Amino acid sequence: MSKNEVPYKIYLTEDEMPKAWYNLRADMKNKPAPLMNPGTHKPMTAEELGGVFCDELVKQELDDTTPFIEIPEEIRNFYKMYRPSPLVRAYCLEEKLQTPAKIYYKFEGNNTSGSHKLNSAIAQAYYAKKQGLKGVTTETGAGQWGTALSMACAYLGLDCKVYMVKVSYEQKPFRREVMRTYGASVVPSPSETTEVGKKILAEHPGTTGSLGCAISEAVEVAVKNPGYRYVLGSVLNQVLLHQSVIGLEAKTALDKYGIKPDIIIGCAGGGSNLGGLIAPFMGEKLRGEADYRIIAVEPASCPSFTRGTFAYDFCDTGMICPLAKMYTLGSSFIPSANHAGGLRFHGMSTTLSQLYHDGFMEATSVEQTSVFEAAEMFARIEGILPAPESSHAIRVAIDEALKCKETGEEKTIVFGLTGTGYFDLVAYQKYNDGEMSDYIPTDEEIAASVAKLPKID
Ligand SMILES: *Cc1c(COP(=O)(O)O)cnc(C)c1O
């Protein structure tokens, strides 16, 4: 195919946008292990989950047989405000790298929240509204999820209570103000507003918080307040389901030009953007219809896949959430101050964990200074200022393209560009000032938190 046949941006018409989400689990022979009740060690029932999550979302969470789940028209209309997202051919980057590889990226930063998280936020808020609830509670680390959920709740007229990891609350006042502008109440976590928050503060005075703490607080508030449920921006099966819109659009766009990717790359925090991007491709792989190399990229400071253990663990620090079987560093693992806040979770999606365990995908970890080198290069060449999380995928896409340059192979690489980095300028400042460091946990540190995994026989 000659270079000019594929445009710089492949757009879809509204008609070509997906009308159903794709549930990857339906095509998995080895299903992801069920969420488990931490008290009884039995799989969580719909009734138990219904106390925390919205009913329709519980149904989606537990459904591992229905391949396609219709996207309600109201959600499809909301998607039309900022989707389809462009699939971009990175001609300029290819030229700069002098690589024979063909590089594409699916850009999810084209909305005010600045990331893919809005795809699931609107779905979760929609089902809460449909159930007649007053509002939802959640946690946010770097702030992208809280922002996305605030936007969705504002649109639907739902109350939104966000527990924001204290260090981010203080370091990212502008994110906080975006959320408040969309009507959310934002509380720094840990806080005195919950029992679990008080307990954590008593045990660790002066702590700047963690995602795991904030989850515990948000869950407690949802369970104690009638008319409220908890929503989560990553990790869960339902979130991967909603994010499949990314992969379905990407696949339709590629199919229009008869393009078949060789390598698909995405950053992995809790696994939602990667799970969504790869969904239809992985489906083909699982059904034996096609083969792709799929690579998850994680920070060397929080290497759940590459150095974690595949076991049941808590998703939160307060140990009140269900147990999930996943690649984990242990729920007591506190990653060092990496600037990719969205990738600092100790665990990983149960679906991606099972697929990785079964050899359907690869994982690699990268250090943040090399991530920011890639981010800076990408910003200068392709024009977009990428989020630090997304830049993990950029790093590995560039590395794979450079390998093609050595071997002369014309591989087609697709990566997920999950968001923009306008609220991450403190991180860019550190990088520009040469003050960024790479902290890699020692084997002993990881072993210490893994030793505290709950004992399940
Ligand atoms: C939250 C976030 C991620 C990581 O979350 P996943 O669930 O692993 O996708 C990656 N990129 C951006 C921009 C994010 O906001």
Side-chain angles (χ1 to χ4, degrees):
M1 186 174 292
S2 92
K3 186 164 168 169
N4 293 327
E5 283 177 40
V6 179
Y8 273 70
K9 281 186 186 159
I10 308 179
Y11 275 109
L12 304 180
T13 64
E14 284 182 2
D15 246 16
E16 291 169 320
M17 287 172 66
K19 299 192 173 52
W21 292 301
Y22 168 57
N23 180 10
L24 180 55
R25 287 168 290 159
D27 282 310
M28 289 170 69
K29 278 205 189 76
N30 292 340
K31 307 290 184 191
L35 294 173
M36 201 184 261
N37 182 312
T40 63
H41 291 182
K42 296 229 164 63
M44 292 289 288
T45 62
E47 291 70 32
E48 288 171 322
L49 287 169
V52 181
F53 300 109
C54 307
D55 297 341
E56 194 60 34
L57 293 167
V58 169
K59 235 167 88 187
Q60 294 180 355
E61 191 63 29
L62 297 176
D63 184 344
D64 56 15
T65 52
T66 312
F68 288 97
I69 293 175
E70 196 195 324
I71 308 174
E73 195 185 350
E74 291 90 332
I75 299 177
R76 278 196 274 140
N77 288 341
F78 186 88
Y79 279 167
K80 283 177 195 166
M81 289 198 283
Y82 69 100
R83 309 197 68 82
S85 74
L87 182 75
V88 184
R89 174 77 183 266
Y91 281 122
C92 301
L93 182 62
E94 290 170 17
E95 178 78 25
K96 177 76 180 180
L97 297 174
Q98 288 290 301
T99 173
K102 299 176 178 70
I103 308 173
Y104 294 85
Y105 57 91
K106 180 75 169 158
F107 180 47
E108 290 291 319
N110 267 340
N111 68 78
T112 298
S113 79
S115 82
H116 64 287
K117 294 211 170 62
L118 194 55
N119 301 333
S120 185
I122 186 61
Q124 297 195 47
Y126 168 83
Y127 291 116
K129 181 75 182 179
K130 213 174 134 214
Q131 196 175 321
L133 298 177
K134 269 192 265 178
V136 290
T137 70
T138 198
E139 76 295 328
T140 197
Q144 289 96 319
W145 168 246
T147 309
L149 188 68
S150 305
M151 289 174 69
C153 286
Y155 180 74
L156 294 166
L158 274 177
D159 185 38
C160 180
K161 298 186 195 303
V162 180
Y163 282 82
M164 185 170 189
V165 177
K166 193 180 278 170
V167 60
S168 304
Y169 184 90
E170 284 160 3
Q171 286 182 357
K172 297 192 174 184
F174 297 137
R175 272 255 182 243
R176 193 175 78 206
E177 291 317 313
V178 178
M179 286 185 257
R180 292 179 62 211
T181 303
Y182 281 96
S185 63
V186 188
V187 179
S189 166
S191 73
E192 298 280 350
T193 66
T194 64
E195 292 310 314
V196 65
K198 284 182 205 162
K199 187 164 161 257
I200 292 168
L201 282 172
E203 283 167 14
H204 309 277
T207 176
T208 52
S210 72
L211 214 46
C213 293
I215 294 177
S216 301
E217 288 202 275
V219 170
E220 181 183 320
V221 173
V223 171
K224 285 189 176 163
N225 285 287
Y228 282 80
R229 291 293 185 283
Y230 168 70
V231 293
L232 181 62
S234 182
V235 186
L236 295 175
N237 293 323
Q238 55 187 273
V239 185
L240 267 74
L241 175 73
H242 306 146
Q243 295 297 356
S244 69
V245 69
I246 304 173
L248 292 164
E249 281 183 9
K251 181 129 194 350
T252 304
L254 291 168
D255 285 349
K256 272 182 144 180
Y257 290 87
I259 304 158
K260 191 183 157 298
D262 297 294
I263 308 175
I264 304 170
I265 300 166
C267 63
S272 75
N273 87 81
L274 178 64
L277 173 66
I278 66 174
F281 304 97
M282 183 61 92
E284 289 186 339
K285 188 163 169 162
L286 290 168
R287 295 189 303 270
E289 297 162 9
D291 199 14
Y292 305 98
R293 251 188 94 197
I294 293 169
I295 310 174
V297 189
E298 53 188 17
S301 60
C302 192
S304 319
F305 270 135
T306 50
R307 296 175 67 199
T309 301
F310 189 41
Y312 269 103
D313 191 13
F314 287 97
C315 294
D316 63 324
T317 314
M319 302 191 195
I320 62 175
C321 289
L323 298 166
K325 190 175 181 192
M326 57 188 176
Y327 278 86
T328 177
L329 296 163
S331 64
S332 64
F333 181 82
I334 308 260
S336 67
N338 183 286
H339 291 288
L343 305 182
R344 297 185 69 217
F345 185 61
H346 64 273
M348 187 55 66
S349 138
T350 58
T351 299
L352 293 190
S353 292
Q354 188 66 49
L355 290 166
Y356 178 66
H357 190 69
D358 291 341
F360 288 104
M361 53 185 276
E362 305 166 30
T364 184
S365 72
V366 287
E367 295 174 23
Q368 66 173 347
T369 46
S370 77
V371 166
F372 276 80
E373 272 167 31
E376 181 194 77
M377 179 178 187
F378 187 81
R380 292 181 186 181
I381 297 165
E382 287 286 323
I384 296 170
L385 182 75
E389 292 88 349
S390 323
S391 306
H392 286 67
I394 298 175
R395 170 77 270 163
V396 173
I398 289 175
D399 290 347
E400 289 296 329
L402 290 173
K403 279 184 211 162
C404 290
K405 183 175 173 176
E406 271 171 35
T407 61
E409 287 173 291
E410 290 186 27
K411 286 191 178 149
T412 298
I413 300 169
V414 174
F415 73 91
L417 189 69
T418 50
T420 46
Y422 301 117
F423 289 101
D424 300 285
L425 293 172
V426 171
Y428 276 98
Q429 180 183 19
K430 284 241 158 66
Y431 176 72
N432 291 332
D433 288 344
E435 286 170 4
M436 184 169 277
S437 59
D438 295 309
Y439 182 80
I440 301 175
T442 63
D443 288 342
E444 289 71 27
E445 278 172 81
I446 293 176
S449 58
V450 162
K452 292 188 210 145
L453 287 178
K455 301 280 174 284
I456 314 276
D457 32 55

